[in-house]
Amino acid sequence: MGRGGGYGGGGGGGVAASLAALLCCGCVTLALAGAAAAQGPRLPSAYKTLSGDAPRVVAKGGFSGVFPDSSSAAYLFALMESAPDTTLWCDVQLTKDGVGVCLRDINMQNCTSVALAQQYPARKRTYVIDGVRKTGWFALDFTMAELQPVFLTQAIYSRPDYFDFAEYRILSVADLQSLPSIVKQPSVWLNVQHDIFYKEHGLNMRNYILSIQKNVSVDYISSPELGFLQNISGRVHRKIKLVFSFLDKALLDNSIHQTYGSLLSNLTFVKSIASGIMVPKSYIWPVTKDNYLEAPTSIVAEAHSAGLEIYASDFANDRIIPYNYSYDPLAEYLNFISDGGFSVDGVLSEHPITASEAIGCFANLNSSKTDHGEPLIISHNGASGDYPDCTDLAYHSAINDGADVIDCPVQVTSDGTLMCMSSINLLDTTNVKRTPFSSRASVISEIQATPGVFTFNLTWDDINSSIQPKISSPLSQYDIVRNPRNTNQGKFLKLSDFLAMGMDKDLSGVMIIIENAAFLAKSLGIDIVDSVNAALSAAGYDNQTAKGVLIQSKDSAVLVKLKQQKTKCKLVYTLPSGIGDVSTSSLEAVKKFADAVVVDKNNSVFTSSLAFIIRQNNLMKDLQSAGLAVYAQVFRNEFVSHPFDFFSDATVEINYYFQSFNLSGIITDFPKTVRRYKKNTCTGLGNDMPNYMQTVPVGSLDQLLQNSKAQPPSMPPMPTLNASNVEETPLPPVAPRNEPGGSPRGAETPGAPPSDTHKATASTGILFVMVFAALLI
């Protein structure tokens, strides 16, 4: 649904309906009572916080990374899916009649329905706030009663807006005490951003805060206006901690007429008023213009030295974080609580489940020797999330990051050299389009319908000496790129070099991927199966048992041939993508030639609609019931690669697969993320495992939307794999070999007449247009 969708104005939705739906979902799928009562993880004996206690998780507007900020659903979900002592953050705004409400922005235009529904067109105003003119709708122009028809909406436009239509009403601060009792009394943090503005318009935030503490159990009060904190200091309950929030260093705190930069160098003065400070992440870990971390500042140590707690803000899973973190939000938290050699006292997060995981289960993990037990961690083109596919750097990184198995998709050059390359088309993962070899582009219909420059068009020396690797960007449609500083780093590897590396390193084994075998035999005169067998034998894999060899292919004919040769390798069949179940006949067919299968996690394990999981398919259960080992692929860190049910957190998704399926292996672009998961200190706690490390109830978000006006479209059952989809004709005989550097039979090259075997489908001129179009993509 777009943001222009209509909103209901009556009482059909609202807090009661939303909470009822959420609680129903929670009771059915989470067993909330047990989750809330769990004892929790074994925390490290001492953090480097000011008190030595675990850092506090502060949920900004609740679980606002999914639900509208400050909605009942966001607050309740934060309590359900985060640490038991998670603190609920409320940005306090004042209404015309002096009621404090929780709204993420003083301007309601982008966080409520007030503008979209045109409920109060005459109330649109322009105010100068902190020296900036802002036009929109503001709480101080409405009474609390007038705000009742107004609903909360998702303020971050890159996030799904489906929950906008659940009609979550604006909550007063007092409503936080009325949330269903998942915990007896939630911890509350009130943030007062604009005391001066409200004072200018006749509203007294100080008096409101002093009065509300009688009815609401408040634990923290923060403000970027130090004068406001000074005015309430000594008048609030002693248990309430006052926290001064730093803004951009060049800005002025108008309440005391000092810049935040100058106050940063006078923390002793801040300590005389507040017990803590909150700073943006970049105050602690500065970031370069090209989005890489600089060395950390000393602000954490300085704050602790002054006796101040320090909290870091601006955490969210669905943002572009520094490339050093490889798109892994949990790694970012760890850099603030353990891995950086210091610890902040708390984090302000829009995805509090990830902060809870980091603090409770992943801080200060030991670096013990890699355990090669199942599920195996199998690289996908090496550590291709950080380095170009199948390069020496990608493989060394995968090994250092804890992979059990490294993989090599085998391609062949025109002079018969076997090499590791993720695609047979060099346009995909190299800079060949910027070299003179781009003129060798051709269309080979058995491989792809668009022009390509293929590995067999060039010799090994051509590729190794004249072409650079190019880091893959599988999610470039979302403008997400990987590690730009490493874009063209690394060297290509021959299969022989790869196999030597696999034999030499601490690995469980290697995986060899064979594709296009029929084409290579018929058009190039190469028996790729026998060539791989010969390479394995030459590398010594035939004469040992310590290193396993897995051979993967989507072509059953390849595995059938290997089975007939009585190979000792484990044969792995890549199932077609987009299937949800398997027939008995297809299982019987697969078991004749394969020991294991690879499943596409994105398009087979679940049925999804608009990135919401609707249901889990029968596929995994049926495969394992048949006695087949199952590997799942491809796991990635980027937040857009996950269904919304996994909260933009790769660890949440990995946790689901580990706990829900008896997997034999996980195939991933980021082996480090999976290796760290296997070391966590929580999943072995049995009944004491914290709720945030229990498997998330997939499909629950779709259930919540069932009664709204924006439920994702229902989806039919996914297709079932049948024996006819599996069985293939045997590989063709190997044709006489072409001369090195020659074109394969059937290649349509610019300027060359079509072969008798494959008629040209386009003129040379049209082909050039297609080539250059491909180069521009």
Side-chain angles (χ1 to χ4, degrees):
M1 293 289 259
R3 288 205 166 266
Y7 285 80
V15 174
S18 302
L19 288 179
L22 193 60
L23 278 174
C24 177
C25 170
C27 290
V28 170
T29 57
L30 271 182
L32 284 179
Q39 296 299 308
R42 291 189 293 267
L43 297 173
S45 56
Y47 288 88
K48 295 181 180 179
T49 55
L50 184 64
S51 65
D53 295 333
R56 181 164 290 272
V57 177
V58 186
K60 187 179 188 304
F63 210 125
S64 55
V66 174
F67 299 96
D69 190 298
S70 304
S71 64
S72 56
Y75 285 129
L76 185 54
F77 210 71
L79 296 175
M80 289 165 54
E81 293 286 359
S82 309
D85 58 351
T86 293
T87 296
L88 304 181
W89 170 284
C90 166
D91 283 293
V92 184
Q93 314 298 341
L94 290 179
T95 64
K96 182 189 295 185
D97 49 349
V99 177
V101 294
C102 298
L103 284 170
R104 71 171 285 144
D105 197 322
I106 193 170
N107 187 347
M108 297 193 298
Q109 179 165 322
N110 292 336
C111 61
T112 74
S113 65
V114 67
L116 297 176
Q118 289 294 304
Q119 291 156 320
Y120 296 104
R123 302 284 181 94
K124 192 173 185 179
R125 300 281 191 275
T126 297
Y127 291 107
V128 176
I129 304 173
D130 295 331
V132 178
R133 290 175 61 85
K134 295 186 178 182
T135 299
W137 286 259
F138 300 84
L140 83 167
D141 293 317
F142 298 84
T143 65
M144 187 63 190
E146 289 172 328
L147 288 177
Q148 288 306 297
V150 178
F151 303 116
L152 295 163
T153 62
Q154 178 56 258
I156 307 299
Y157 278 26
S158 59
R159 292 173 179 166
D161 63 353
Y162 303 102
F163 289 104
D164 293 4
F165 300 86
E167 301 184 347
Y168 295 120
R169 298 190 187 279
I170 295 172
L171 299 182
S172 70
V173 174
D175 288 333
L176 296 179
Q177 296 296 113
S178 304
L179 293 173
S181 55
I182 292 177
V183 295
K184 290 184 179 180
Q185 192 174 61
S187 174
V188 173
W189 185 311
L190 301 181
N191 181 57
V192 176
Q193 198 78 3
H194 300 290
D195 171 59
I196 292 174
F197 171 78
Y198 285 111
K199 189 181 298 182
E200 290 171 347
H201 294 277
L203 293 170
N204 195 314
M205 184 67 79
R206 171 185 172 277
N207 288 350
Y208 173 77
I209 292 295
L210 294 179
S211 65
I212 197 65
Q213 65 177 334
K214 300 173 184 176
N215 303 314
V216 177
S217 179
V218 179
D219 296 292
Y220 299 85
I221 298 173
S222 62
S223 178
E225 298 177 2
L226 193 58
F228 170 74
L229 297 178
Q230 193 169 27
N231 285 336
I232 65 173
S233 178
R235 295 176 175 86
V236 295
H237 293 158
R238 290 185 178 181
K239 77 171 187 96
I240 297 177
K241 294 182 177 181
L242 302 183
V243 178
F244 178 52
S245 298
F246 279 82
L247 304 181
D248 186 278
K249 295 175 184 178
L251 294 177
L252 188 71
D253 177 358
N254 291 301
S255 69
I256 58 171
H257 305 292
Q258 293 189 45
T259 65
Y260 291 100
S262 64
L263 288 168
L264 192 63
S265 62
N266 195 1
L267 293 181
T268 303
F269 171 59
V270 175
K271 172 59 179 171
S272 69
I273 299 169
S275 60
I277 60 174
M278 176 170 282
V279 299
K281 294 182 299 186
S282 59
Y283 267 54
I284 300 171
W285 284 98
V287 180
T288 64
K289 290 182 179 179
D290 61 344
N291 200 35
Y292 286 86
L293 293 175
E294 296 180 350
T297 68
S298 57
I299 186 173
V300 174
E302 292 169 5
H304 287 170
S305 179
L308 289 164
E309 292 184 326
I310 180 168
Y311 299 83
S313 64
D314 300 337
F315 287 92
N317 292 357
D318 53 357
R319 293 178 186 164
I320 304 297
I321 57 179
Y323 294 118
N324 309 69
Y325 300 125
S326 302
Y327 288 99
D328 180 2
L330 200 149
E332 182 179 35
Y333 286 105
L334 292 175
N335 219 23
F336 285 80
I337 65 171
S338 64
D339 292 357
F342 53 82
S343 177
V344 296
D345 298 276
V347 291
L348 179 62
S349 173
E350 298 179 23
H351 293 84
I353 187 173
T354 307
S356 300
E357 294 167 346
I359 294 166
C361 305
F362 292 94
N364 304 314
L365 295 178
N366 66 58
S367 55
S368 58
K369 185 179 179 180
T370 298
D371 171 17
H372 293 309
E374 291 190 348
L376 296 172
I377 301 171
I378 304 172
S379 72
H380 181 245
N381 307 319
S384 55
D386 293 312
Y387 294 95
D389 295 2
C390 302
T391 57
D392 58 337
L393 294 179
Y395 288 126
H396 284 300
S397 180
I399 295 166
N400 293 336
D401 290 345
D404 299 303
V405 175
I406 54 175
D407 68 307
C408 172
V410 178
Q411 312 298 345
V412 63
T413 65
S414 65
D415 54 351
T417 301
L418 301 185
M419 64 175 297
C420 300
M421 181 76 75
S422 60
S423 173
I424 196 171
N425 182 5
L426 294 169
L427 289 173
D428 292 338
T429 55
T430 77
N431 72 337
V432 70
K433 70 180 181 180
R434 299 182 182 278
T435 73
F437 296 119
S438 62
S439 63
R440 299 193 186 183
S442 61
V443 175
I444 300 179
S445 58
E446 287 128 306
I447 297 177
Q448 61 186 50
T450 56
V453 179
F454 303 100
T455 57
F456 49 76
N457 293 140
L458 281 70
T459 66
W460 164 252
D461 187 61
D462 291 336
I463 294 172
N464 191 46
S465 62
S466 303
I467 294 176
Q468 289 182 308
K470 180 182 69 176
I471 200 165
S472 60
S473 298
L475 299 162
S476 58
Q477 67 268 35
Y478 300 102
D479 294 326
I480 289 180
V481 298
R482 290 175 167 177
N483 208 347
R485 290 184 181 177
N486 290 341
T487 296
N488 300 117
Q489 299 301 306
K491 297 179 180 179
F492 301 116
L493 287 186
K494 295 180 181 179
L495 175 60
S496 57
D497 295 329
F498 168 85
L499 292 174
M501 182 187 298
M503 188 69 78
D504 181 59
K505 301 296 183 181
D506 179 19
L507 292 166
S508 172
V510 296
M511 174 178 275
I512 307 297
I513 298 122
I514 298 176
E515 309 293 356
N516 303 303
F519 169 81
L520 294 175
K522 182 173 60 175
S523 298
L524 296 183
I526 293 174
D527 188 326
I528 191 67
V529 174
D530 287 353
S531 297
V532 166
N533 281 333
L536 287 168
S537 179
Y541 282 81
D542 288 351
N543 304 319
Q544 54 83 50
T545 58
K547 306 283 180 154
V549 178
L550 296 85
I551 297 184
Q552 176 190 350
S553 184
K554 65 181 180 181
D555 301 320
S556 62
V558 169
L559 304 181
V560 167
K561 179 173 181 176
L562 286 162
K563 189 81 170 180
Q564 292 170 344
Q565 293 175 341
K566 301 186 184 303
T567 180
K568 295 179 181 179
C569 302
K570 187 172 185 176
L571 303 181
V572 183
Y573 179 53
T574 307
L575 291 176
S577 180
I579 60 170
D581 207 344
V582 284
S583 66
T584 301
S585 62
S586 67
L587 286 172
E588 292 173 351
V590 170
K591 291 177 69 175
K592 290 178 181 178
F593 59 79
D595 309 297
V597 293
V598 171
V599 172
D600 180 352
K601 76 171 182 65
N602 290 323
N603 298 303
S604 293
V605 178
F606 304 107
T607 298
S608 299
S609 179
L610 300 177
F612 287 94
I613 293 176
I614 296 177
R615 58 183 170 271
Q616 183 171 301
N617 299 323
N618 293 326
L619 179 65
M620 302 290 273
K621 174 175 66 69
D622 291 346
L623 290 169
Q624 292 175 326
S625 296
L628 286 165
V630 178
Y631 302 91
Q633 71 173 14
V634 173
F635 285 79
R636 296 184 168 114
N637 286 354
E638 291 94 339
F639 59 89
V640 293
S641 70
H642 315 126
F644 293 132
D645 300 65
F646 297 130
F647 313 132
S648 305
D649 182 348
T651 298
V652 172
E653 182 178 48
I654 293 166
N655 185 51
Y656 186 89
Y657 276 81
F658 265 72
Q659 294 196 49
S660 301
F661 308 116
N662 184 28
L663 290 176
S664 294
I666 278 184
I667 301 171
T668 175
D669 290 353
F670 298 92
K672 180 186 287 186
T673 306
V674 186
R675 174 56 61 190
R676 186 192 58 217
Y677 172 81
K678 292 185 76 169
K679 293 181 178 180
N680 83 81
T681 59
C682 290
T683 51
L685 295 177
N687 292 334
D688 287 338
M689 182 168 61
N691 54 315
Y692 49 81
M693 283 298 287
Q694 296 176 24
T695 57
V696 297
V698 295
S700 62
L701 296 183
D702 178 67
Q703 292 175 31
L704 280 175
L705 289 169
Q706 285 183 0
N707 296 320
S708 78
K709 301 173 184 177
Q711 184 183 9
S714 61
M715 301 294 289
M718 297 180 73
T720 296
L721 184 71
N722 294 308
S724 59
N725 307 124
V726 174
E727 296 165 347
E728 297 177 350
T729 58
L731 293 177
V734 178
R737 186 74 196 279
N738 283 340
E739 290 298 319
S743 298
R745 298 169 184 84
E748 301 161 12
T749 54
S755 69
D756 293 335
T757 308
H758 301 282
K759 298 298 182 183
T761 59
S763 69
T764 300
I766 295 175
L767 184 57
F768 270 121
V769 172
M770 294 173 66
V771 170
F772 284 111
L775 299 184
L776 292 173
I777 294 175

